[in-house]
Amino acid sequence: MMSDKQKLVVIGNGMAGARTVEEILARGGGQQFDITMFGDEPYGNYNRILLSNVLNGTQDPADIFLNPLEWYTENTVTLHAPARVTQIDRARKEICSDDGQVTSYDKLLIATGSRPFVPPMEGLKGPQGEDKHGVFVFRTIDDCHKIAGYANKCRKAAVIGGGLLGLEAARGLLNYGVEVHVIHLAPWLMNNQLDAQGGKILTSIMEKMGVHVHLEKATAAVLGEDSVTGLQFKDGTILDCDMVIISAGITPNNELARDCGLTVERAIVTDNQMRSVDDPDIYVVGECAQHRGRVYGLVAPLWEQGQVLADHITGSNENAAYHGSKIATKLKVMGVELASMGVTEASDDRDEVVIFSEPKRGTYKKLIIRDGILIGAMMLGDLNKVAYLMQAFDRGTPLPEERLSLLFDIGAPSVEATMLEMPDTAQICNCNGVSKGQIRKCVEGGKRSLKMVMEATRAGMGCGSCKKLVSEVVEWAAEGQIEEDPSIHFYVPGVALVKSELVEVIMARGLKSVSSVFDTLAHGVEDAGSKMGLASLLKSLWGAEYEDERDARYINDRVHANIQKDKTFSVIPRIFGGVTTADELIKIGQVAKKYNVPMVKFTGGQRIDLLGITKENLPKVWKDLGMPSGHGYAKSFRTCKTCVGTDFCRYGVGDSTGLGIKIEKRFQGIESPGKLKLATAGCPRNCSEAMVKDLGAVAVEGGNWEIYVGGAAGAHIRKGDILCIVDSHEAVLQIMGRFMQYYIETAKYLERTSSFVERIGMDKIRAVVVEDSEGIAARLDAAIQASVDAYVDPWLEADTPATANQFVSTLPVMQA
Amino acid sequence: MISEKTKYALGSVTQIPLGEGRNFRIGDTEIAIFHTRQGIYATQAECPHRRGPLADGLVGGTQVTCPFHAWKFDLKTGEPQMGSCALQTYPVHLTESGDIELTFLGEAARFAS
């Protein structure tokens, strides 16, 4: 049977080819194309950039694979490897490969990359024309293995080429106990990235590490009969060595394209859609592509090219165009941090050059600024400011007048600095014990979004307080190549809509249950991680009309208690305002005794917690207590902590206890996107910590109450902002209720008030809630009143269970 | 010696609310039965991570999320979405009258086979 899909053939299975195919698949290209790939090497795609780590032994070859062979099977991509394409027949739209196959294509992608450039010199071959023993290039995983195998037997190695890759190779060789010499043609090392002064500092650093640097040396010949014995230079000098690694740049693999008549200059010439300028069915990506006269040998541009290409070939964005990349590199050469972007020298009278140089410590910083815009920078030894500079360079944003701060952090250390200084072993997620190193490895293993890293490592999935730090580590490790997960904008991950859109559709279609939302808006795909958020939203939208499906609730909300590590539950009865009586305490004590409660504990919210209650006993305990639920488990109004206020305290200026009891009686159990913990304080001494609660009321002299919102003192600590000052208990209740309703309607699921007020802004909140700028205050008041009126104590389910076996952990069995 | 009686009638599926799970004890073994919208599934009762009660987890499609630390497992295969240990699963189906029928060879059989 003929497939009606188009045939996409990809020549090249390196980082450019495979990454581009990933981009195509991500745009649904698997439905449009049968994809066949040809690779020279007998492997899946691996991260070539990490080969130097493999050579120096810090990484296992298996760890650098980006697309292992299973990836191709899983994505129904046919991979021929090892198979080298030998010819492209554009007229017949076919290619031939050295495994004897002829493969036809509708679209062709050339991603042949490049190979090491070997400068002309004598003596590269042995007497029979075979490659001379001990001469290597450094490009593939096989090269790596060969170099490592040979280096073990060697004493002295020469690396021809003092560019990035050459120095990486030199670093790798040091680990084999070999004396390493770097031979470089230019007057200083890394002359593409550094100026003379920077190069000089790099040389002295390298020499301190034991690498011998020979500058302005052109190699004339490799000496030795069968095996290398030395190098002869054009100035007549000789260096004895028993191993040579040639790393003098790259040559694009252009031959296939040239032979089939495509325009080839330094590489294959492409248009802005990454197609050959001669053939709209042939795309080119990576090191073999020449776009607007430039050929890129780094990974970031090929990612940008791959995205444009994928947008165009799949039709997902036909206007996609590549406009070239600005090259900024950050690397570590032999443990020396180095960054370079743009030009290395001033070239115009307008150019302003800012330099800091401290050769003794190996620190060098240079910026080249034109008309207030960064056009070039290099940094050696101290990369504190690099993240900012790279961003400013890439976006062309104007720099601040204060140039000094561009070179140094004056004051608090930057994120970047913190990241660099932080050891790999530093624990980032204290709940799940995830280290910086684990996150870094995960990112390097190809997970490039915060969500993917969180799911793979579980970092940030405990209390969530480290999430920002996790995201900083991910960003740092991904070096800007972050993929944003679109679902972070959705109200819940399983329904592709932001909150406002979701609310609109739910109301328009009259969706009143969680399962109906999945059926209607998520193609019937039920997502556990979305259920609670949807339940919370539907309840807030429909009130009594909400169709409550109990499976959409977390276990705590199914049994109205908080599950503990031994599968028992905690029972916290409501004690309004933290004010109890002798009789109530006696009753609680009797219940604790009757059920052998293993722990009776005061909570932080001025209540009493009975811990260690089995699920079966929950209804019995509730009934024996005869007290309502304190909601110590739900995303809802929890408690209102109070201080002694005016009744006994010598300092109290307002009746905080009375107010707290009123607040708790009114708002108990109101469900909300996140928990709501409140407090009232009878004076600004703030004994009840009202200023760090979701909502707090603080009495001030003159009979007034300051209302604080957005405070937090959990995993995240924030002092609340004053929303307004009112003059009575009733006004406090009204404003608090209105704020709660606005929060319920506007916040994201699980967004605590501290994040909410920062996202919306206090000015906006004050305008809506206090000044009624949108004319919705009356509606908000009515809505919260409806929720208050609809409140039913969930512990009444003790007598009337809501579902079958609601409080049963294990059911009996009869054998058939 | 493997018991010949390997089929267990667990009673009506209505004992388990739709979308939820409940545990059943057979001998010394607790088994979680899930009444999902996709069908009925049986797995070991406790999460291999910290022994969380899987039957109390949230179910999405054929995936359960442990209520303790949000580890996720496929109910059909027992495969973990992340982490290492898979769940033991057991063949289970609904009879025409809506009764749950579980095939369980006993723990000994698992190790004997």
Side-chain angles (χ1 to χ4, degrees):
Chain A
M1 200 186 80
M2 287 291 288
S3 163
D4 54 1
K5 291 186 194 173
Q6 289 215 316
K7 288 182 291 254
L8 170 63
V9 173
V10 183
I11 309 177
N13 182 36
M15 294 178 76
R19 175 63 180 244
T20 304
V21 168
E22 277 186 8
E23 296 283 354
I24 291 171
L25 291 172
R27 288 160 178 75
Q31 313 297 321
Q32 298 175 43
F33 297 106
D34 281 324
I35 303 175
T36 307
M37 299 183 74
F38 287 85
D40 234 2
E41 295 179 66
Y43 314 109
N45 172 39
Y46 57 86
N47 189 340
R48 219 177 278 286
I49 299 166
L50 298 178
L51 280 181
S52 50
N53 289 352
V54 174
L55 183 60
N56 71 32
T58 55
Q59 249 179 327
D60 192 76
D63 292 340
I64 67 166
F65 275 89
L66 296 170
N67 307 83
L69 290 173
E70 306 84 68
W71 178 86
Y72 300 85
T73 329
E74 281 162 18
N75 288 285
T76 55
V77 171
T78 311
L79 174 66
H80 298 284
R84 178 183 283 263
V85 174
T86 51
Q87 197 194 343
I88 301 171
D89 185 335
R90 286 168 53 203
R92 301 168 70 109
K93 295 186 107 171
E94 283 173 359
I95 59 149
C96 305
S97 46
D98 65 358
D99 54 354
Q101 295 202 47
V102 175
T103 310
S104 65
Y105 67 84
D106 297 303
K107 301 280 180 193
L108 185 66
L109 171 55
I110 303 179
T112 44
S114 65
R115 59 180 178 273
F117 166 68
V118 178
M121 61 183 84
E122 300 286 322
L124 283 169
K125 303 283 179 188
Q128 265 79 50
E130 79 285 2
D131 289 341
K132 189 173 283 179
H133 286 303
V135 180
F136 301 94
V137 292
F138 183 37
R139 170 81 187 172
T140 66
I141 216 163
D142 289 347
D143 293 337
C144 232
H145 291 313
K146 285 184 207 156
I147 293 170
Y150 203 86
N152 277 323
K153 306 178 285 194
C154 284
R155 236 173 6 87
K156 197 165 163 184
V159 177
I160 300 178
L164 165 59
L165 202 61
L167 297 185
E168 291 277 15
R171 170 183 84 161
L173 286 170
L174 275 186
N175 286 26
Y176 294 86
V178 188
E179 182 182 319
V180 182
H181 293 254
V182 171
I183 319 298
H184 195 51
L185 190 60
W188 64 86
L189 293 174
M190 291 192 67
N191 48 302
N192 284 328
Q193 288 86 12
L194 296 175
D195 67 355
Q197 199 178 346
K200 204 171 150 192
I201 292 174
L202 181 59
T203 299
S204 69
I205 297 171
M206 304 283 279
E207 283 176 341
K208 264 188 219 154
M209 289 181 178
V211 174
H212 304 265
V213 180
H214 308 261
L215 298 169
E216 296 182 86
K217 286 271 185 198
T219 309
V222 178
L223 305 176
E225 282 296 312
D226 301 324
S227 307
V228 176
T229 59
L231 289 178
Q232 179 164 21
F233 303 112
K234 288 194 176 147
D235 61 9
T237 54
I238 283 176
L239 174 74
D240 290 335
C241 62
D242 39 21
M243 177 169 189
V244 174
I245 294 171
I246 301 171
S247 182
I250 55 169
T251 304
N253 292 323
N254 292 329
E255 290 74 9
L256 282 174
R258 182 174 286 133
D259 293 347
C260 71
L262 299 179
T263 304
V264 174
E265 293 171 3
R266 282 193 301 139
I268 309 164
V269 181
T270 71
D271 64 12
N272 290 346
Q273 281 69 44
M274 301 313 296
R275 288 173 302 186
S276 156
V277 290
D278 310 290
D279 190 333
D281 289 327
I282 298 184
Y283 290 81
V284 190
V285 70
E287 289 175 322
C288 60
Q290 176 178 328
H291 174 265
R292 295 188 189 168
R294 296 187 68 181
V295 180
Y296 299 94
L298 291 164
V299 75
L302 76 83
W303 285 350
E304 293 170 26
Q305 293 174 354
Q307 286 169 2
V308 169
L309 196 163
D311 275 344
H312 189 261
I313 200 169
T314 58
S316 61
N317 176 9
E318 286 178 3
N319 298 321
Y322 178 65
H323 298 295
S325 296
K326 283 187 167 180
I327 296 300
T329 49
K330 197 172 79 180
L331 40 113
K332 204 171 177 178
V333 191
M334 311 189 58
V336 183
E337 305 268 9
L338 187 151
S340 156
M341 59 203 89
V343 299
T344 59
E345 296 290 352
S347 58
D348 193 300
D349 286 346
R350 290 176 296 164
D351 294 352
E352 174 190 344
V353 179
V354 182
I355 293 184
F356 173 81
S357 174
E358 193 182 0
K360 211 170 166 192
R361 289 188 58 203
T363 307
Y364 182 63
K365 302 179 176 204
K366 176 175 177 182
L367 309 180
I368 300 144
I369 302 166
R370 183 176 295 169
D371 299 331
I373 308 281
L374 187 67
I375 59 165
M378 68 197 71
M379 303 220 140
L380 200 57
D382 169 15
L383 263 55
N384 275 1
K385 300 298 289 183
V386 142
Y388 169 76
L389 291 172
M390 276 185 160
Q391 205 173 55
F393 171 73
D394 189 52
R395 300 183 186 167
T397 42
L399 297 175
E401 290 294 319
E402 165 71 56
R403 304 297 193 222
L404 192 61
S405 65
L406 295 171
L407 296 183
F408 303 99
D409 270 314
I410 300 160
S414 67
V415 168
E416 187 73 13
T418 322
M419 286 302 145
L420 286 169
E421 281 165 13
M422 191 187 286
D424 260 6
T425 49
Q427 185 155 296
I428 302 289
C429 174
N430 290 324
C431 291
N432 290 326
V434 186
S435 69
K436 176 197 170 199
Q438 285 170 283
I439 296 175
R440 181 179 56 72
K441 281 192 189 130
C442 180
V443 173
E444 287 166 2
K447 302 240 187 304
R448 280 184 295 263
S449 80
L450 176 62
K451 192 172 170 234
M452 286 161 81
V453 171
M454 283 173 62
E455 280 183 355
T457 63
R458 311 193 58 75
M461 292 184 71
C463 73
S465 64
C466 64
K467 216 169 140 180
K468 183 158 179 284
L469 189 54
V470 175
S471 118
E472 283 167 5
V473 178
V474 171
E475 262 174 53
W476 167 81
E479 300 189 343
Q481 290 295 326
I482 281 282
E483 284 166 8
E484 195 184 74
D485 186 324
S487 74
I488 61 169
H489 298 295
F490 305 155
Y491 174 71
V492 286
V495 182
L497 294 167
V498 301
K499 185 170 181 179
S500 56
E501 296 165 348
L502 180 61
V503 168
E504 206 171 295
V505 186
I506 285 173
M507 297 312 284
R509 304 224 187 152
L511 306 176
K512 292 179 185 170
S513 68
V514 171
S515 60
S516 71
V517 173
F518 287 127
D519 285 343
T520 316
L521 304 177
H523 311 290
V525 180
E526 189 184 66
D527 172 45
S530 303
K531 280 180 157 181
M532 292 186 284
L534 289 173
S536 160
L537 181 67
L538 290 168
K539 174 117 197 238
S540 75
L541 293 173
W542 295 107
E545 286 179 72
Y546 164 59
E547 287 165 26
D548 183 6
E549 292 164 335
R550 289 296 175 104
D551 67 291
R553 297 186 180 196
Y554 184 59
I555 182 64
N556 289 1
D557 297 295
R558 291 182 194 167
V559 299
H560 317 298
N562 201 331
I563 195 164
Q564 306 295 313
K565 63 185 282 187
D566 61 352
K567 307 188 192 74
T568 65
F569 292 84
S570 86
V571 168
I572 304 177
R574 192 163 290 290
I575 296 178
F576 296 97
V579 179
T580 183
T581 61
D583 284 342
E584 204 166 59
L585 287 175
I586 289 167
K587 193 165 54 181
I588 292 171
Q590 283 167 340
V591 171
K593 256 188 159 170
K594 177 173 171 185
Y595 293 93
N596 287 320
V597 172
M599 182 186 268
V600 182
K601 190 186 173 306
F602 290 96
T603 72
Q606 299 182 335
R607 300 184 295 184
I608 295 172
D609 192 349
L610 306 177
L611 289 137
I613 312 286
T614 62
K615 201 196 261 183
E616 279 74 8
N617 276 340
L618 287 172
K620 297 177 205 160
V621 170
W622 298 339
K623 280 167 76 171
D624 285 352
L625 283 170
M627 296 166 74
S629 166
H631 290 90
Y633 46 83
K635 301 296 173 219
S636 72
F637 175 97
R638 288 283 185 95
T639 170
C640 186
K641 190 172 170 180
T642 66
C643 67
V644 183
T646 44
D647 283 3
F648 288 89
C649 180
R650 285 172 290 130
Y651 303 107
V653 293
D655 176 13
S656 53
T657 326
L659 177 60
I661 293 170
K662 283 184 204 166
I663 288 174
E664 195 153 344
K665 289 211 155 140
R666 179 166 172 77
F667 298 118
Q668 58 180 317
I670 297 285
E671 289 180 34
S672 53
K675 335 179 240 218
L676 288 169
K677 293 183 171 179
L678 283 71
T680 56
C683 79
R685 284 173 190 76
N686 193 30
C687 293
S688 56
E689 296 148 1
M691 294 174 192
V692 289
K693 297 294 181 186
D694 292 285
L695 280 145
V698 179
V700 290
E701 193 56 66
N704 288 331
W705 294 91
E706 289 176 343
I707 299 181
Y708 286 82
V709 296
H716 169 65
I717 297 172
R718 180 180 191 276
K719 189 183 174 191
D721 295 301
I722 295 188
L723 179 63
C724 60
I725 299 175
V726 297
D727 60 4
S728 67
H729 282 184
E730 286 61 43
V732 172
L733 290 170
Q734 183 182 36
I735 292 290
M736 281 188 165
R738 199 182 290 162
F739 173 85
M740 278 183 215
Q741 184 63 29
Y742 184 58
Y743 164 69
I744 289 166
E745 291 182 10
T746 325
K748 301 176 185 171
Y749 184 57
L750 300 184
E751 183 178 38
R752 291 292 296 268
T753 58
S754 55
S755 312
F756 171 76
V757 299
E758 285 187 4
R759 180 168 64 84
I760 304 288
M762 273 313 291
D763 289 344
K764 171 82 189 286
I765 292 172
R766 203 173 285 120
V768 172
V769 173
V770 184
E771 293 145 22
D772 194 15
S773 61
E774 294 184 4
I776 59 170
R779 184 183 66 69
L780 294 173
D781 290 350
I784 197 81
Q785 184 62 45
S787 299
V788 169
D789 294 341
Y791 172 72
V792 179
D793 175 17
W795 285 2
L796 297 177
E797 285 174 13
D799 284 321
T800 48
T803 58
N805 300 306
Q806 185 178 4
F807 301 107
V808 179
S809 333
T810 305
L811 290 155
V813 170
M814 290 161 297
Q815 202 164 354
Chain B
M1 205 31 216
I2 298 165
S3 162
E4 296 203 348
K5 289 218 170 182
T6 57
K7 297 246 187 230
Y8 292 82
L10 305 187
S12 168
V13 71
T14 57
Q15 296 172 96
I16 311 173
L18 183 60
E20 298 189 26
R22 289 292 182 268
N23 289 331
F24 290 79
R25 180 184 291 277
I26 297 173
D28 292 334
T29 310
E30 289 231 334
I31 293 177
I33 310 284
F34 295 89
H35 178 198
T36 80
R37 291 178 176 80
Q38 326 286 316
I40 192 122
Y41 300 100
T43 71
Q44 69 188 64
E46 290 186 335
C47 179
H49 174 224
R50 294 279 174 85
R51 308 186 59 188
L54 293 167
D56 285 342
L58 276 158
V59 172
T62 60
Q63 191 180 60
V64 67
T65 305
C66 176
F68 273 12
H69 305 96
W71 284 46
K72 299 181 178 74
F73 302 90
D74 189 88
L75 293 173
K76 269 197 269 193
T77 63
E79 282 303 310
Q81 189 204 41
M82 49 201 166
S84 44
C85 288
L87 298 181
Q88 175 70 34
T89 60
Y90 305 93
V92 66
H93 72 274
L94 284 185
T95 64
E96 280 178 16
S97 55
D99 286 335
I100 307 165
E101 198 173 77
L102 175 78
T103 307
F104 178 66
L105 301 170
E107 286 303 292
R110 257 175 74 190
F111 300 107
S113 61

